[in-house]
Amino acid sequence: MTEPLSHAVLPVSVRRAAGKAARSRLPRSALGQWREAAPRPDPVEILVETSRHRIPDLLAIRWGRMAVSPFTFLRGAAAVMARDLGKGADSGLRVQACGDCHLMNFGAFATPEGNAVFDINDFDETLPAPFEWDILRLAASIAVAAMDGGRPRRAAADIVRAAVVAYRSRMGELAIQTPLEVWHDRIDIGDALVGQALPKLRNLAVRGAAEARHPDPVDPNFPRLAENDGGIWRFKDIPPLVRHFDGGRDDVHDLDTRAAFAAYRRCLQDDHRLLLDRYALADVAFKVVGVGSVGTFCAVGLFLTADGAPLILQVKEASASVLAPYAGASRYANQGRRVVAGQKVIQGASDPFLGWTEDGVGGRHFYVRRLKDRALASLGELMERKALPDYAALCGRTLARAHARSGDAAAIAGYLGKGEAFDEAVAGFAARYAERTERDHAALVAAIRTGRLAAVAA
């Protein structure tokens, strides 16, 4: 079982030297020379096998979304890449890894204090693991996204290098900071976009920061997802993406979501439980989310005060991390608790409603959080499409801060070095893995075309 991460009480210089010594375990040049371990299973079979716990009726949506492009394939194929990375040597320098560190799992959101920040925002696969697994997945996603956007391979490699340089440079800065300075470091979205050439991005950042400081008195997802039915607020049915349960229970998973929300309440801190108790659960609906998460059980709960003020929470199924077969099992028996604990370590500011629960029937695990604010989230999506070089560098800087919170920043900085060896190695890996992803995506498309898998667009 994976042990909690810890730091040796040693000077920065000693820890940096230990990180440099880790190059003998995994030379930086070896990253750029990556070759898939042979024999490599059929990637489609890996996806099918790791989707057996998912809701069968939704798998066609999952395959349809993944088939759109090599980038959407990569987003849904965390299990495939985990195997590719986990079968090789590693640096031994462990952090609380995101586990699914691709471009679209970063984004902007408002902190409880009313600040608009940029951070990692998906933790379904989080687990203590070698630091390089996250940076390699991020780099691969940058290369694939760049080529999907029509950029030539050389330009894609330049963007990857910019992200890795940002990661390496920021890790070097964090290595000499105090633990408290690292822990309280955050990336303000307005500061991050200073000098941004695109007016639309600047304007969105300014508006997002203002809305975070002066939040709307209602939930940002309300009433977009809800409707007033005879004086009663309920979620809108948008099948197959949003639908109500029969009799309050899911006809596939037989989950009593109301009981699950009640159990979740007990895991909250006293102050957050007091805040939740100001609201009462008014409605529950099933909701399909994301690309990689399609087919896992996800519900949304609409909570209201007596005066109709809304709060929307999401309850999402948590299975063992795709990293577990290679990095070791989580120390937490409840996989939802694994997600929550990882998020609180990685993020600079976490949701006060973050918690975990279980179904009490099938032994399945879940975590609970506020539903994402799509208005702020769209800022990251726009940056990815319109300003990929800047966005990639911002992701690299953000990942360094996330890793420094749990890992040994000095040791990682020692491994990375001050030259370009690590940058070039990761850029080489990203190019190779982008080619691998294109072939894997083609295999999925062929499986759909031949009828091996059914797919729909949704």
Side-chain angles (χ1 to χ4, degrees), residues 1-4 327-333:
M1 179 173 288
T2 301
E3 293 298 320
S330 171
R331 62 190 292 248
Y332 298 107

Side-chain angles (χ1 to χ4, degrees), residues 31-48:
L31 299 174
Q33 298 163 3
W34 173 85
R35 291 285 189 278
E36 58 204 41
R40 186 177 189 260
D42 174 8
V44 175
E45 185 55 38
I46 294 176
L47 293 172
V48 171

Side-chain angles (χ1 to χ4, degrees), residues 71-385:
F71 185 54
T72 59
F73 176 89
L74 183 75
R75 289 176 61 183
V80 175
M81 191 166 189
R83 185 193 181 282
D84 288 333
L85 295 175
K87 289 293 184 180
D90 68 71
S91 68
L93 302 174
R94 296 172 73 86
V95 298
Q96 183 70 39
C98 166
D100 189 14
C101 193
H102 62 71
L103 279 175
M104 300 313 296
N105 278 345
F106 292 75
F109 59 90
T111 70
E113 298 81 13
N115 299 308
V117 297
F118 187 87
D119 212 328
I120 300 173
N121 62 10
D122 188 289
F123 306 91
D124 286 9
E125 310 299 344
T126 186
L127 198 69
F131 86 93
E132 67 270 16
W133 292 0
D134 270 353
I135 189 69
L136 292 174
R137 182 154 172 79
L138 174 60
S141 75
I142 294 169
V144 175
M147 289 187 287
D148 268 8
R151 291 178 170 86
R153 293 183 185 275
R154 180 173 296 181
D158 288 342
I159 299 174
V160 170
R161 288 189 193 91
V164 182
V165 168
Y167 178 90
R168 177 172 54 80
S169 299
R170 185 58 182 151
M171 190 63 76
E173 295 167 353
L174 294 167
I176 59 175
Q177 291 186 4
T178 69
L180 280 176
E181 287 174 323
V182 172
W183 195 259
H184 292 297
D185 184 75
R186 296 179 183 177
I187 297 178
D188 180 271
I189 191 64
D191 293 344
L193 294 183
V194 169
Q196 172 56 241
L198 295 176
K200 187 173 183 179
L201 279 177
R202 289 200 308 271
N203 295 339
L204 273 175
V206 170
R207 187 165 71 247
E211 290 175 353
R213 288 192 298 270
H214 305 286
D216 193 287
V218 300
D219 189 289
N221 293 292
F222 185 90
R224 182 177 62 86
L225 293 178
E227 59 188 356
N228 193 308
D229 184 6
I232 299 175
W233 281 101
R234 288 169 50 84
F235 287 114
K236 300 174 184 176
D237 281 307
I238 313 172
L241 303 183
V242 181
R243 63 176 176 80
H244 281 86
F245 306 115
D246 294 329
R249 299 176 73 84
D250 173 44
D251 56 1
V252 175
H253 275 305
D254 192 31
L255 173 68
D256 188 336
T257 50
R258 293 176 183 273
F261 274 123
Y264 145 76
R265 177 187 175 277
R266 294 193 289 271
C267 84
L268 294 174
Q269 294 178 184
D270 289 349
D271 55 340
H272 297 159
R273 189 183 309 133
L274 178 64
L275 178 58
L276 180 66
D277 287 347
R278 307 289 186 182
Y279 298 83
L281 184 59
D283 193 29
V284 177
F286 181 90
K287 188 175 188 298
V288 175
V289 291
V291 176
S293 296
V294 176
T296 56
F297 185 92
C298 179
V300 283
L302 173 61
F303 293 74
L304 297 169
T305 67
D307 297 309
L311 168 70
I312 300 178
L313 297 182
Q314 179 185 62
V315 55
K316 190 174 180 185
E317 185 177 358
S319 302
S321 168
V322 295
L323 301 185
Y326 319 103
S330 171
R331 62 190 292 248
Y332 298 107
N334 185 300
Q335 296 298 324
R337 187 175 183 182
R338 168 186 62 79
V339 173
V340 170
Q343 180 169 346
K344 288 185 175 181
V345 169
I346 294 172
Q347 271 192 335
S350 293
D351 177 5
F353 292 101
L354 194 62
W356 67 90
T357 187
E358 57 187 41
D359 63 2
V361 177
R364 286 169 298 119
H365 305 150
F366 305 87
Y367 66 92
V368 180
R369 66 182 181 190
R370 288 195 72 177
L371 193 62
K372 292 179 183 177
D373 179 349
R374 293 304 304 164
L376 272 176
S378 66
L379 179 58
E381 295 169 2
L382 181 63
M383 287 189 70
E384 186 272 327
R385 294 196 307 271

Side-chain angles (χ1 to χ4, degrees), residues 58 60-66 68 239-241 288 290-291 294 455-458:
L58 297 179
I61 297 176
R62 173 167 163 77
W63 308 138
R65 289 182 176 181
M66 289 182 65
V68 170
L241 303 183
V288 175
V291 176
V294 176
V456 297

